[in-house]
Amino acid sequence: MKTTQLRYFITTCVLFIAVQQGISQNIYDNKLGDCDTSRFGLESKVEQAKIEDSKIIDAIKNSLNEKAFQKLRGVLKLQVIVYTDGSSCLFSYENETNLKASELDIDYIKTAVDTDLVWNKVEENVTALIEINFKKRKTVLRRMGIHGDLGWHILKK
């Protein structure tokens, strides 16, 4: 192979891999299906998709059985795509809790996020990064953003 052909081949491979990574768009390792991922942005400095924290916590709590919820400790990270009509879809998650994903029954959590949550309408589809910290006496929710200058950070309301 000539040098120019080799460069072309390597460049093509690198671009192919980069495009494949860009198409997947999931932030967390555990990807769930059935979301329209054709086009959406990331929240970067402030919350764009608005909903009361208590509504998210209640939807998650109601999707778990009482026994699992009482034992639950740690952080559950969710990537939720919020659509312009105010509907949402749980796209990916990371489980840093003391329960296995099967004990959490992530399918019920996905159903709750996809059907029970009604967000304020947004101008464009956007992904909300949510961290829910389950403690013994309370549950704390944080909205995270990704920004070039700030990296991962807590969003302003």
Side-chain angles (χ1 to χ4, degrees):
M1 227 183 226
K2 294 182 181 177
T3 305
T4 54
Q5 288 177 323
L6 184 59
R7 284 185 192 157
Y8 177 77
F9 176 74
I10 291 172
T11 303
T12 303
C13 288
V14 168
L15 287 173
F16 179 75
I17 292 168
V19 167
Q20 289 300 326
Q21 290 293 346
I23 289 172
S24 69
Q25 301 175 340
N26 53 303
I27 301 294
Y28 302 118
D29 290 338
N30 301 299
K31 183 177 175 184
L32 303 166
D34 299 329
C35 293
D36 176 9
T37 60
S38 57
R39 184 180 194 114
F40 64 86
L42 290 171
E43 293 180 314
S44 63
K45 288 187 177 180
V46 296
E47 290 181 9
Q48 293 173 300
K50 305 279 187 182
I51 192 171
E52 292 176 31
D53 292 353
S54 61
K55 289 183 179 183
I56 298 171
I57 293 169
D58 288 346
I60 303 298
K61 182 179 178 181
N62 294 336
S63 69
L64 298 169
N65 70 54
E66 185 64 29
K67 196 177 198 180
F69 185 74
Q70 294 301 324
K71 291 191 316 184
L72 186 58
R73 302 290 179 270
V75 178
L76 181 63
K77 298 178 181 181
L78 307 174
Q79 178 187 6
V80 178
I81 300 174
V82 180
Y83 302 108
T84 55
D85 65 357
S87 64
S88 60
C89 186
L90 178 55
F91 184 51
S92 71
Y93 72 96
E94 188 172 313
N95 181 14
E96 296 177 355
T97 70
N98 61 332
L99 300 180
K100 296 176 186 170
S102 59
E103 293 175 279
L104 283 174
D105 210 341
I106 202 71
D107 291 333
Y108 284 124
I109 293 174
K110 178 168 177 47
T111 299
V113 169
D114 293 2
T115 60
D116 297 345
L117 295 181
V118 179
W119 302 69
N120 288 350
K121 293 181 180 181
V122 290
E123 291 182 24
E124 66 176 355
N125 297 344
V126 67
T127 191
L129 302 176
I130 302 165
E131 292 185 0
I132 306 170
N133 190 349
F134 298 94
K135 300 179 179 184
K136 188 171 185 174
R137 300 205 192 280
K138 66 179 179 176
T139 302
V140 178
L141 185 141
R142 295 189 318 178
R143 295 277 297 275
M144 304 302 290
I146 301 173
H147 186 270
D149 295 332
L150 304 172
W152 281 82
H153 65 281
I154 299 171
L155 289 176
K156 296 177 184 173
K157 297 255 180 211

